[in-house]
Amino acid sequence: MPGIRLFGRRFNFASDDLTIPSLIDLTLRLPFLVTFVIFRIKDESPDSTCPSSFYTGYFYPLLSVYTAITILSVLMFWISLRGTPVKNTRPRRRMPVLIYMRLLLVLIDISINIMGLITMIRVFKMCAIILRATIVTTIALSWSVAICLFIILAFFIDLTGFVTAEKKWEMRIKIIFCCGRGYGGQSSDTKNIVKTLQYLFDDERFDLVPSDVAAGLILLQQEDVQEERSINIIQHVPLELLKEGLYYNSYAQSAFGWFSLAYRYRLTFLPRILCAMRFRTIGFCCGCCCWGGGGACSSCCQHPDSANDPCGSQYTTLVYLLRKQKPVILYANFLAAFHHAPFYIAADNEKKTIIVSIRGTLSATDILTDINAVEDALDTELFGSGYCHSGKFSLLLFLYSSYGMHSAAKYILDDISIRLVDIFTKYPDYTLVLCGYSLGAGIASILAILLKSKYPHLKCYGIAMPGAVLSEDLAVATRHFIYSYVVDVDMIARASIRSLEHLRDRIINALHTCNRSKIRLLTMTLVQALTKRRQTFHSMNHQTQTLIDDSLTNSVTTTDGNSSISQAVVTFHSDEREHLVIPGTIIHLYSTERVGLFSRKISYRAGISTYNQFCQFIVHPRMWLDHFPASYSTALTDVIENYDQISS
């Protein structure tokens, strides 16, 4: 930072980003330079000496270019280490000149190799075998370096001036997602995504390069570790609510289907295995589905109670994942597309519940939905008007997914409305439960609001709930039937437009005050940050000393609106302009121990918290790992097993 300017254009790398490339260039060139010198000194036998035309026409010019490149790489390496990312960039002011010289040497190197190649063809057999191999390798190396260099320059060039800023972001999204394929005709959604990303990360306003973000996150991680952070606990969590969360967590994670098995067993070819297993055990025509017709699938294997699963492998996987609960799978829709979310409906005979489980982020198209943290109006019968995660565009790139939560909830509502009437006719004594993981949890919470008037006993269990789902008034109003589970420093639970803006501003401030070189931050400091165990929450602030309040216990089984939690949550209601937060009652599974990236056994505690606790990112090595399914299963299991000890 700032981005370097070459040929009158800005490039998306800074002058202090050339340390590693210069070192790599030096490492590749120096051995060949030493080999050339040693060979020329010891080349005395007549039968291995090349003609003088070879030395004058190729060897000496190439030796000179390699010497110049080596010296230049050393200079670039040394200069890129000087100064700081932002505060002191003057020591690196000559870096553009060195880059111009390096590009000139690349052209000279290519020219010498072209001319030398002609000379080599004539006298190749007259030279020693070692020299032949060395020369051929240097030619290949020179062309490879040149091609890579120009590709990198083309990739990192800022096209502002050639194309508009919006077009530039659109091109980036197309490169990242499906190599430029369309978005299902949702051009307006794509334009909105581009505008949001441009607003957050506009290069001209903030002049950030990717390495700046990485260095800034490392600096913020050090700041956040040193901060004496406390966690506000309204009440401790009833054991029954933890058990319910763990129980429905299995249903939420099962919605991922074959990916859940792949994550568990580290396999990536499970769909074909399960399809073959179905062929052997059920006797359907899965052979033609999986291997016939060039790999194309027909609908011959699709289960009658499922949709968009022509091979039947996803339905078979779902049955396998739910083998312990043994529910009756009533319907499953595996369509994953823009504004759509895969889900299934199951009847749990043990709990006497009808469960609608919604899948979270999995596909590349899913990633484009959770970029969407902009409000969309939501009118409800019981709770009045409010806002929810939009169905129009997304904001938290790589954090959530690609179909807006509101649109996905309405799609599921249209699909299951009539089915639920028929299902409850068959299961009149059962109650409705919605659950989901990550993005699926956010969709489930919106769907719960839409269905609450028709099904008063409805409950929603959101595992790894995203941080931008409902407006504050709706979030408070849903505390009796929506339960959001968050593990420690899970970054998705803190992701919103406001938190991203705050994180961006913190990164810029940290870089401006940094007195160390970027390469030092990205090497030694990063290693220390990843290996050292640190404590995130140093103390707990209890607003009530009651271990299990009667009103909270009732809220697990009833919809009484006069609980003490209601008053506590309302106390934290923000008077600022409308923004999206975590809905319902928030169960925070936190650790008060010193933990690191590679910590295996972590002891957790549970407390009911407020959405204000999740309005900013906590930069920690485990901020991404804490969102993984295994973290939630481990945390819930640990709290339940040690509940009596923690309570005492």
Side-chain angles (χ1 to χ4, degrees):
M1 182 180 182
I4 198 167
R5 300 191 70 86
L6 301 170
F7 308 105
R9 298 289 173 189
R10 178 188 179 276
F11 285 76
N12 291 316
F13 63 89
S15 56
D16 52 358
D17 290 337
L18 299 175
T19 307
I20 301 299
S22 300
L23 184 61
I24 293 175
D25 196 17
L26 184 63
T27 304
L28 291 175
R29 302 279 184 175
L30 190 58
F32 287 105
L33 180 61
V34 174
T35 302
F36 289 158
V37 173
I38 293 176
F39 174 81
R40 188 66 188 100
I41 293 174
K42 294 187 176 182
D43 185 21
E44 297 178 354
S45 69
D47 58 340
S48 63
T49 302
C50 295
S52 59
S53 59
F54 166 76
Y55 287 104
T56 57
Y58 179 68
F59 185 82
Y60 290 138
L62 184 64
L63 186 62
S64 302
V65 170
Y66 266 57
T67 303
I69 290 176
T70 302
I71 295 172
L72 199 59
S73 297
V74 172
L75 285 174
M76 293 176 68
F77 176 79
W78 176 64
I79 291 177
S80 63
L81 289 173
R82 302 179 66 191
T84 62
V86 178
K87 193 175 181 180
N88 183 22
T89 61
R90 183 175 174 78
R92 301 192 301 273
R93 65 188 184 280
R94 302 298 183 189
M95 186 62 76
V97 177
L98 296 179
I99 294 177
Y100 289 137
M101 294 174 62
R102 181 66 181 86
L103 291 175
L104 179 62
L105 288 176
V106 169
L107 297 178
I108 296 175
D109 189 18
I110 293 175
S111 301
I112 291 174
N113 276 288
I114 292 175
M115 293 186 297
L117 187 60
I118 299 174
T119 306
M120 280 290 297
I121 294 174
R122 298 175 182 175
V123 300
F124 189 74
K125 294 183 179 180
M126 302 174 61
C127 298
I129 296 177
I130 297 178
L131 184 59
R132 295 180 202 173
T134 304
I135 296 301
V136 171
T137 306
T138 57
I139 293 174
L141 174 64
S142 298
W143 280 101
S144 301
V145 170
I147 293 172
C148 292
L149 183 60
F150 285 109
I151 289 176
I152 290 172
L153 289 176
F155 184 79
F156 282 100
I157 188 173
D158 191 330
L159 296 176
T160 304
F162 294 101
V163 297
T164 62
E166 292 184 7
K167 185 65 176 178
K168 179 176 63 177
W169 275 105
E170 183 179 350
M171 292 170 61
R172 289 173 177 174
I173 292 176
K174 287 183 177 181
I175 290 174
I176 295 173
F177 297 98
C178 304
C179 300
R181 291 189 298 174
Y183 305 99
Q186 306 294 331
S187 58
S188 60
D189 296 322
T190 306
K191 290 180 180 179
N192 286 327
I193 294 172
V194 168
K195 289 180 180 179
T196 306
L197 292 173
Q198 180 188 353
Y199 166 73
L200 277 175
F201 307 106
D202 185 81
D203 298 328
E204 296 300 323
R205 287 194 302 156
F206 305 108
D207 202 7
L208 288 173
V209 298
S211 61
D212 291 334
V213 178
L217 289 174
I218 294 174
L219 290 171
L220 295 185
Q221 194 268 344
Q222 293 177 320
E223 292 180 8
D224 287 354
V225 165
Q226 295 172 359
E227 180 182 349
E228 291 291 330
R229 184 181 295 103
S230 62
I231 180 172
N232 291 324
I233 300 300
I234 297 176
Q235 284 183 328
H236 291 281
V237 185
L239 180 60
E240 184 64 24
L241 193 54
L242 294 169
K243 290 182 177 179
E244 294 285 315
L246 181 61
Y247 188 80
Y248 291 110
N249 176 50
S250 60
Y251 280 97
Q253 294 189 18
S254 297
F256 285 98
W258 64 266
F259 179 80
S260 182
L261 278 177
Y263 177 80
R264 187 177 303 176
Y265 299 110
R266 304 299 189 267
L267 297 176
T268 57
F269 45 84
L270 281 167
R272 285 188 177 274
I273 293 177
L274 291 166
C275 197
M277 180 179 67
R278 182 179 173 87
F279 174 65
R280 291 195 302 268
T281 57
I282 302 179
F284 286 175
C285 57
C286 286
C288 68
C289 287
C290 292
W291 292 284
C297 285
S298 64
S299 60
C300 59
C301 301
Q302 181 165 298
H303 194 277
D305 293 328
S306 66
N308 302 293
D309 184 27
C311 277
S313 59
Q314 297 190 69
Y315 186 90
T316 305
T317 306
L318 184 61
V319 173
Y320 176 80
L321 290 170
L322 296 174
R323 64 192 183 280
K324 292 183 179 180
Q325 293 82 4
K326 296 181 180 179
V328 179
I329 300 177
L330 304 172
Y331 176 68
N333 189 336
F334 298 101
L335 177 61
F338 208 78
H339 295 313
H340 297 76
F343 68 95
Y344 69 89
I345 306 175
D348 189 300
N349 297 319
E350 179 183 346
K351 297 284 187 179
K352 288 191 176 296
T353 55
I354 300 298
I355 302 169
V356 179
S357 179
I358 305 170
R359 197 193 76 182
T361 304
L362 181 59
S363 64
T365 52
D366 290 342
I367 295 177
L368 283 173
T369 296
D370 270 334
I371 310 176
N372 182 5
V374 175
E375 308 95 49
D376 195 14
L378 179 63
D379 297 324
T380 65
E381 296 182 18
L382 297 179
F383 312 108
S385 300
Y387 294 90
C388 67
H389 188 281
S390 173
K392 294 181 180 178
F393 66 96
S394 298
L395 154 67
L396 312 177
L397 186 58
F398 298 115
L399 300 186
Y400 307 168
S401 97
S402 104
Y403 29 74
M405 293 183 189
H406 191 194
S407 296
K410 290 190 291 185
Y411 162 75
I412 296 175
L413 179 64
D414 294 339
D415 195 5
I416 68 174
S417 294
I418 299 177
R419 297 180 189 275
L420 287 179
V421 174
D422 297 335
I423 289 172
F424 280 104
T425 302
K426 185 177 179 180
Y427 298 90
D429 298 331
Y430 284 51
T431 58
L432 181 61
V433 170
L434 306 181
C435 64
Y437 184 90
S438 189
L439 173 71
I443 297 173
S445 63
I446 298 175
L447 183 61
I449 294 178
L450 299 176
L451 289 171
K452 184 63 175 177
S453 59
K454 193 172 183 179
Y455 301 95
H457 298 289
L458 175 149
K459 296 290 176 61
C460 176
Y461 297 90
I463 312 300
M465 182 70 75
V469 180
L470 296 177
S471 55
E472 296 178 358
D473 51 350
L474 291 179
V476 174
T478 58
R479 62 194 174 275
H480 301 301
F481 64 95
I482 295 180
Y483 304 102
S484 302
Y485 296 81
V486 178
V487 166
D488 219 17
V489 292
D490 184 350
M491 63 183 294
I492 302 302
R494 295 169 169 82
S496 65
I497 289 182
R498 186 169 298 184
S499 63
L500 279 176
E501 288 177 339
H502 182 260
L503 179 65
R504 178 201 62 202
D505 295 340
R506 288 188 66 198
I507 288 175
I508 294 174
N509 292 334
L511 291 173
H512 275 84
T513 57
C514 178
N515 293 319
R516 288 170 287 178
S517 65
K518 188 185 297 182
I519 191 63
R520 180 182 174 187
L521 288 173
L522 296 176
T523 52
M524 294 184 295
T525 308
L526 178 61
V527 171
Q528 294 174 1
L530 296 180
T531 56
K532 190 172 182 179
R533 292 173 174 261
R534 304 176 188 273
Q535 187 170 339
T536 304
F537 302 106
H538 295 269
S539 62
M540 280 64 68
N541 295 331
H542 295 270
Q543 294 180 316
T544 173
Q545 299 299 321
T546 306
L547 183 61
I548 303 177
D549 188 88
D550 292 337
S551 60
L552 177 59
T553 307
N554 293 335
S555 72
V556 180
T557 56
T558 69
T559 57
D560 181 21
N562 296 318
S563 67
S564 60
I565 290 188
S566 307
Q567 302 300 324
V569 174
V570 171
T571 304
F572 287 90
H573 188 82
S574 174
D575 293 328
E576 300 177 7
R577 76 174 182 86
E578 200 70 57
H579 66 286
L580 305 181
V581 297
I582 300 179
T585 298
I586 304 173
I587 295 92
H588 191 188
L589 308 167
Y590 60 93
S591 172
T592 56
E593 298 178 350
R594 299 173 65 87
V595 297
L597 180 64
F598 304 105
S599 299
R600 293 185 176 272
K601 180 61 177 176
I602 304 176
S603 298
Y604 292 93
R605 295 186 180 183
I608 293 180
S609 188
T610 63
Y611 56 74
N612 284 47
Q613 290 287 303
F614 305 93
C615 61
Q616 295 180 8
F617 285 103
I618 297 177
V619 184
H620 189 279
R622 293 192 61 87
M623 61 188 297
W624 182 253
L625 288 179
D626 280 344
H627 187 66
F628 281 19
S631 297
Y632 279 83
S633 300
T634 301
L636 285 167
T637 302
D638 182 77
V639 173
I640 292 172
E641 291 178 350
N642 300 287
Y643 188 82
D644 293 336
Q645 180 181 354
I646 295 174
S647 301
S648 61

